Amino acid sequence: MESIFSKVSLPSIPVDLLSTLRIFFEKGSLQNKTLFEQLYVDRWFDYNLPQMGLTAEAIMASYKVRFMASVIGNDAATPLRPTDGFKTFTEEIPRLGHRFPMSAEKLRKMLAVLEASSKRYTDQQKFNEVYKLLVGDVREAYLGCKDTVDHIILQALSNAGVAQFKPQLNNPDGRTFRIDYGMPERNKLKATKNWTKENAASINPFEELAEIKYEFENYGILFGEILMAPALYAWFINNPNVRRAIKGNDKSAQAVTPAELNAMLQQFDLPTITKINKRNAIAKDGKRSETLINPYNDNVIVFKPAGKIGEVQPAFEDNAIIPEKDVEYVDAGNGIRVAKWQVGESTGQKAGEYTQASWRALPIITEIDGIVNYQVRGIE
């Protein structure tokens, strides 16, 4: 099957857009680049090779203080140490996916515009417009799968290691799904006062964050990044104690710049702050909902180790094992599959084409023992 885009007639340019798209993905993989956009999953996770089974298993990192060797006699037996063993994580790999319609009517309108402006635009410019139309659908479908994995990661990082999907909450056209990464109880902390405008004068954010940092260094945990919602970051940088610490009493009315804040964080031996701002739309019954989904708990500050904190375990999609004869497929890397197929008279439907992206994948936060939640708002 060829895509309806291959029917576009441009005399001097062959329009094989699906082949072009395949090359685009393949070159992106060879250059080890994230395609289209850098998401949190790409920054913080490694990708495993797709597997046949639908159960993900991983060894979780442990943070323990090392045993000190004993001072022993020349002829004494070497003392035995207990092995702490390791913790494993086992969970179902869910299927993620959605599809977008391209009607013949929409394609007809676009071609009519190109035909009407044939004297003003070259064939290459026309090709670029058609290509953007194709890539736009694929980009939306492809990134939407990664957005769901981002949602799992950010929700779990800021909600005591738990992420969940409910049809009535954040997954209206899907299933109920819940995953618990097993964050240790000692890593779930609460401030004594809400970080709000009313309490600002009596709170020193630097001291509170430094206290947590030093406490967890005793467990062998080193943080490389502090995650914070933009609204909380704005409160932080405008806190009167933060301003005085950075600007001094005489200039405490002046605004603090991000560079100045980072310099002061460094003086307190604290990592820099990363603002987490992620929003996604949801659809119900094929229509866009006005509700935007925020996976991150804005009331929580997250301390995380530097660099990668886990791995994504994909599984082969069914259509990678048993492809359908009338469907065109593009392997988008890391197990993500993009599919295109036509509908029309033979299927009893209005003429058009569907673009689908699907992915069987689960992010595994292997460093969950080294991640700390500090709730600073919404405290009863």
Side-chain angles (χ1 to χ4, degrees):
M1 184 208 82
E2 292 183 337
S3 168
I4 56 174
F5 289 95
S6 64
K7 311 296 190 296
V8 180
S9 177
L10 297 176
S12 62
I13 298 178
V15 184
D16 188 352
L17 291 173
L18 285 176
S19 294
T20 305
L21 198 63
R22 285 194 184 93
I23 293 170
F24 180 76
F25 275 107
E26 288 167 6
K27 284 186 176 179
S29 298
L30 290 172
Q31 295 168 7
N32 195 26
K33 289 182 178 179
T34 301
L35 297 169
F36 296 127
E37 192 174 314
Q38 177 83 337
L39 278 71
Y40 293 107
V41 62
D42 299 309
R43 289 165 52 183
W44 296 338
F45 285 70
D46 291 316
Y47 290 95
N48 294 336
L49 293 174
Q51 64 180 37
M52 292 298 295
L54 297 179
T55 300
E57 295 188 30
I59 297 175
M60 309 295 275
S62 60
Y63 292 84
K64 294 182 174 68
V65 177
R66 286 190 302 272
F67 289 112
M68 184 174 67
S70 299
V71 179
I72 57 177
N74 292 335
D75 300 321
T78 305
L80 182 67
R81 295 286 187 256
T83 96
D84 292 320
F86 54 85
K87 186 169 63 173
T88 58
F89 175 86
T90 304
E91 188 61 64
E92 167 202 1
I93 299 176
R95 183 171 189 257
L96 323 172
H98 52 177
R99 58 194 170 105
F100 295 82
M102 167 62 70
S103 67
E105 182 182 5
K106 184 176 180 181
L107 184 62
R108 186 195 301 271
K109 287 180 180 178
M110 187 201 68
L111 294 177
V113 171
L114 292 178
E115 185 177 353
S117 57
S118 57
K119 294 181 180 179
R120 284 184 292 167
Y121 297 107
T122 66
D123 286 343
Q124 181 64 55
Q125 289 173 317
K126 294 177 185 179
F127 172 85
N128 291 341
E129 291 304 309
V130 177
Y131 180 72
K132 279 193 286 186
L133 192 63
L134 170 69
V135 172
D137 280 348
V138 173
R139 182 180 185 275
E140 289 293 300
Y142 169 88
L143 283 179
C145 289
K146 282 194 170 184
D147 282 330
T148 304
V149 172
D150 262 14
H151 189 103
I152 295 173
I153 293 165
L154 293 175
Q155 195 180 22
L157 287 180
S158 61
N159 284 281
V162 176
Q164 57 185 335
F165 291 84
K166 294 182 178 180
Q168 65 271 28
L169 180 65
N170 57 359
N171 199 30
D173 50 4
R175 54 169 282 201
T176 297
F177 180 76
R178 184 181 188 276
I179 183 168
D180 188 342
Y181 291 99
M183 180 180 286
E185 287 300 318
R186 75 181 183 192
N187 295 25
K188 305 170 188 177
L189 307 176
K190 285 186 178 182
T192 55
K193 292 181 181 178
N194 283 299
W195 284 24
T196 56
K197 184 177 181 180
E198 294 75 20
N199 297 328
S202 61
I203 293 173
N204 189 322
F206 291 130
E207 290 182 358
E208 292 191 26
L209 298 183
E211 185 178 346
I212 293 171
K213 180 213 180 254
Y214 293 127
E215 176 187 348
F216 280 85
E217 279 187 354
N218 292 328
Y219 303 130
I221 298 174
L222 300 177
F223 301 120
E225 195 172 2
I226 294 175
L227 312 183
M228 192 178 293
L232 194 55
Y233 178 87
W235 178 92
F236 187 104
I237 204 167
N238 287 300
N239 176 277
N241 290 315
V242 169
R243 284 186 171 187
R244 274 194 294 272
I246 295 174
K247 293 289 191 178
N249 288 327
D250 56 332
K251 297 181 180 179
S252 61
Q254 296 179 5
V256 173
T257 68
E260 290 172 332
L261 177 61
N262 287 334
M264 183 57 68
L265 287 169
Q266 194 172 22
Q267 289 187 38
F268 277 89
D269 204 17
L270 288 166
T272 56
I273 295 171
T274 299
K275 287 180 283 185
I276 303 297
N277 188 12
K278 178 85 175 182
R279 298 292 187 275
N280 283 112
I282 54 174
K284 186 175 183 179
D285 301 325
K287 297 180 180 179
R288 177 182 287 269
S289 170
E290 295 299 322
T291 303
L292 294 180
I293 300 299
N294 173 19
Y296 190 82
N297 186 344
D298 289 354
N299 294 333
V300 172
I301 294 173
V302 176
F303 293 77
K304 68 173 283 290
K308 306 286 186 175
I309 57 170
E311 57 195 50
V312 176
Q313 182 56 66
F316 287 108
E317 256 286 58
D318 290 349
N319 61 33
I321 302 170
I322 309 176
E324 292 188 41
K325 63 177 181 178
D326 293 328
V327 180
E328 195 78 30
Y329 297 101
V330 175
D331 187 352
N334 299 314
I336 301 177
R337 296 275 286 178
V338 176
K340 276 188 168 288
W341 68 92
Q342 291 179 19
V343 294
E345 291 179 355
S346 62
T347 59
Q349 300 176 65
K350 192 174 180 179
E353 180 172 288
Y354 283 103
T355 300
Q356 171 184 286
S358 55
W359 196 18
R360 292 187 186 270
L362 181 70
I364 305 171
I365 306 175
T366 55
E367 308 295 318
I368 194 68
D369 283 8
I371 293 165
V372 172
N373 280 188
Y374 187 44
Q375 184 179 345
V376 296
R377 285 184 176 174
I379 301 167
E380 296 180 0

